Amino acid sequence: MSAVLSSAPPRAASRPQALSRAGQLFLAVFIIVVYEGAVRKWVASAASLPLIGLRDLCAAWLIFYAWKRGYLRQQMKITVALFAWSLIVFGWGLLQLAAGQSSPLIFIIGLRFWLLYTWFAVAAAASMNETDYRAAILTAAWMMILMAPLAVLQHYSPPGAWINVQLEGSDDEEGIFTVVVGVVRTTGTFSFTSGYATFMGLVAPLVFGLLSARKPRNKHYLFATAVFIAFLVGALVSGSRTAVISSGLMFMAYLLGRLVFSRMQQKPAAAVGVVMALVLVGIFATFFRDAIDVTQTRFEQASEAEDFWGRVRTILVGEQHVFETVNWLGGGVGFGSNLANFVRTGSSGYFALAESEGGRILLEGGLLGFLYVGLKVLVIVIGLFKSFRLSMKTHSPYPVLVWLTAALAILSWPSSGQLTANGLLGIILAFALLLFRFPRLEIFPGRASKT
């Protein structure tokens, strides 16, 4: 087989495998995470908790399946490390309970946010086969294709339109987040703006992986191009600074990686691909010029109200008040999540402790929170190092792009507090770990051999 999503000449593809139970469960979780907000907004708001319960059940089932079939034992180093970390979190949570800093229900919620989808990612990466991995990437691609027209419709619809319903089913114009007056911040199928921005971050490396993949047939070129156009349009009409900045940075990383990691004899073709991508960006940027102007206005307004680099520092490190109020024991694992807020107050529209991921972890866990942040940094360093070596070996930018996204997700996505971000973090971590099991996966394989 060819290098990871690269254009290297392949060997004959192996006999196709069926979608495994692990793959089915992974796709079930993925689909529910992306579309539960649509059900909540446009079908039945009461379906939110049942859908969350269903995807948590699927995630737990996948973990049990991977353990029962022995897949976790095949990844013993990761499994042992994660098991040890789980015992530490469980023990610290019991200590917080004994000290009166938490309640049993909040403790259970905390275990869900801190552990469940990390175990899910490891179990998925250990038990999924090549067909599962390929199906997951193509599912994300089709999600992007379907999401783009919805995002365009939302962008050009008035804030009060039914298509722009947001959190908690609010359908009045005052409850809709806007970029500027009269133009909404796109939510896609999600119930809140941050869900859409997080989804765009997740699919970005997969989109560029498809662009750099070997394509045996013309329909593969058309499909990869359609996915890229959908991603480009989705970013342009998002109205989200996070989505625009992360998409732009990932695009530049792809262009650079395509030129740097390709084989010497393939660099002319890589250069042509880069030029074509830039041309497409120029064409659609012209076509959606009004959306760009609106987003530029949003950046200007935000710069007047807050310091940009201060905002970046807050997202990556935490708010100033975090370091002034954090104590050694913490306020309770899970206390700052929106689910815990809903249990305590009946509202999930805000985070109780801090908005930033790092700040919330420190305030929830105290010393455990500092350890958690340190472990996150360690995982990022190891992952980026190994992905760079893999990109050099396979002559593809895909491994580096996936781990750059994973690094940003681990540090900044509100995964310890927000239900959608928590699920999407498990998805991107699974993709990142699957890289190391299937470093030479072909997304568009040729005909299977008869042997």
Side-chain angles (χ1 to χ4, degrees):
M1 286 181 280
S2 66
V4 174
L5 303 176
S6 76
S7 56
R11 298 198 303 267
S14 60
R15 186 180 298 276
Q17 295 174 285
L19 200 67
S20 73
R21 180 56 55 85
Q24 293 169 353
L25 292 170
F26 182 85
L27 290 178
V29 171
F30 196 2
I31 291 169
I32 294 173
V33 170
V34 174
Y35 292 109
E36 67 184 358
V39 175
R40 179 181 178 184
K41 291 192 296 184
W42 301 317
V43 180
S45 60
S48 181
L49 288 180
L51 285 173
I52 292 168
L54 177 60
R55 73 169 164 100
D56 285 356
L57 177 63
C58 289
W61 187 358
L62 195 154
I63 296 167
F64 176 78
Y65 173 86
W67 170 77
K68 187 70 174 177
R69 293 298 184 93
Y71 294 113
L72 288 176
R73 290 191 291 274
Q74 295 173 12
Q75 306 293 328
M76 187 56 71
K77 290 183 179 180
I78 296 178
T79 301
V80 169
L82 185 53
F83 183 71
W85 169 244
S86 300
L87 290 179
I88 293 172
V89 173
F90 186 80
W92 194 264
L94 290 179
L95 178 61
Q96 291 176 326
L97 274 176
Q101 290 292 102
S102 185
S103 68
L105 184 55
I106 299 301
F107 176 46
I108 293 172
I109 291 173
L111 293 178
R112 180 216 179 273
F113 275 99
W114 281 49
L115 296 175
L116 177 61
Y117 281 87
T118 304
W119 274 107
F120 165 78
V122 171
S127 57
M128 289 169 65
N129 61 38
E130 286 188 338
T131 299
D132 301 330
Y133 187 15
R134 185 180 298 113
I137 293 174
L138 294 178
T139 297
W142 278 109
M143 285 177 175
M144 189 67 254
I145 289 176
L146 296 174
M147 191 77 72
L150 174 61
V152 171
L153 177 60
Q154 290 175 333
H155 175 78
Y156 287 107
S157 296
W162 69 271
I163 199 71
N164 285 322
V165 171
Q166 289 186 6
L167 190 65
E168 296 181 348
S170 174
D171 56 2
D172 63 295
E173 190 166 335
E174 293 183 357
I176 305 300
F177 283 83
T178 59
V179 190
V180 296
V181 176
V183 180
V184 300
R185 288 175 58 187
T186 303
T187 58
T189 59
F190 300 92
S191 59
F192 195 64
T193 54
S194 65
Y196 180 78
T198 305
F199 171 79
M200 292 296 293
L202 181 144
V203 299
L206 309 180
V207 170
F208 298 125
L210 288 173
L211 281 185
S212 59
R214 187 188 69 87
K215 305 173 187 68
R217 300 178 183 178
N218 289 335
K219 66 178 182 179
H220 299 148
Y221 284 96
L222 292 175
F223 179 73
T225 302
V227 175
F228 174 62
I229 291 173
F231 174 78
L232 175 61
V233 170
L236 290 175
V237 301
S238 68
S240 166
R241 290 177 295 165
T242 300
V244 170
I245 292 174
S246 62
S247 299
L249 291 176
M250 194 59 60
F251 180 58
M252 290 188 289
Y254 160 72
L255 297 179
L256 180 61
R258 188 76 190 273
L259 294 174
V260 170
F261 294 118
S262 60
R263 299 176 188 270
M264 186 59 65
Q265 63 269 29
Q266 294 173 341
K267 289 191 184 296
V272 171
V274 166
V275 171
M276 291 180 63
L278 288 171
V279 169
L280 282 174
V281 170
I283 291 173
F284 280 88
T286 301
F287 190 76
F288 288 95
R289 181 64 195 178
D290 57 335
I292 295 176
D293 290 340
V294 166
T295 304
Q296 183 177 352
T297 301
R298 169 61 181 158
F299 272 92
E300 293 172 352
Q301 292 175 343
S303 65
E304 295 174 358
E306 64 182 6
D307 175 54
F308 174 76
W309 293 111
R311 175 66 174 173
V312 172
R313 185 173 61 252
T314 295
I315 292 174
L316 296 179
V317 180
E319 298 91 331
Q320 183 60 40
H321 77 85
V322 170
F323 301 96
E324 298 172 353
T325 58
V326 65
N327 60 69
W328 71 273
L329 184 59
V333 171
F335 186 86
S337 66
N338 54 10
L339 182 57
N341 257 357
F342 181 79
V343 169
R344 293 186 301 105
T345 68
S347 173
S348 60
Y350 67 97
F351 294 118
L353 298 178
E355 181 181 356
S356 67
E357 175 69 358
R360 191 164 48 253
I361 287 174
L362 295 181
L363 291 176
E364 283 187 10
L367 292 179
L368 181 69
F370 283 98
L371 178 59
Y372 195 8
V373 172
L375 289 174
K376 286 188 172 192
V377 172
L378 178 62
V379 169
I380 289 171
V381 171
I382 294 174
L384 287 175
F385 175 74
K386 294 184 68 173
S387 67
F388 182 81
R389 292 181 60 184
L390 194 56
S391 282
M392 294 292 292
K393 182 179 179 180
T394 59
H395 305 284
S396 169
Y398 179 66
V400 166
L401 294 178
V402 171
W403 268 97
L404 283 174
T405 299
L408 181 63
I410 291 169
L411 284 178
S412 65
W413 288 4
S415 58
S416 68
Q418 209 274 336
L419 289 162
T420 297
N422 184 251
L424 291 178
L425 179 64
I427 300 293
I428 192 61
L429 283 178
F431 280 123
L433 294 173
L434 280 164
L435 277 172
F436 303 129
R437 283 193 60 218
F438 304 112
R440 298 184 181 277
L441 177 79
E442 291 180 50
I443 295 302
F444 304 114
R447 292 182 179 179
S449 64
K450 295 181 180 181
T451 58

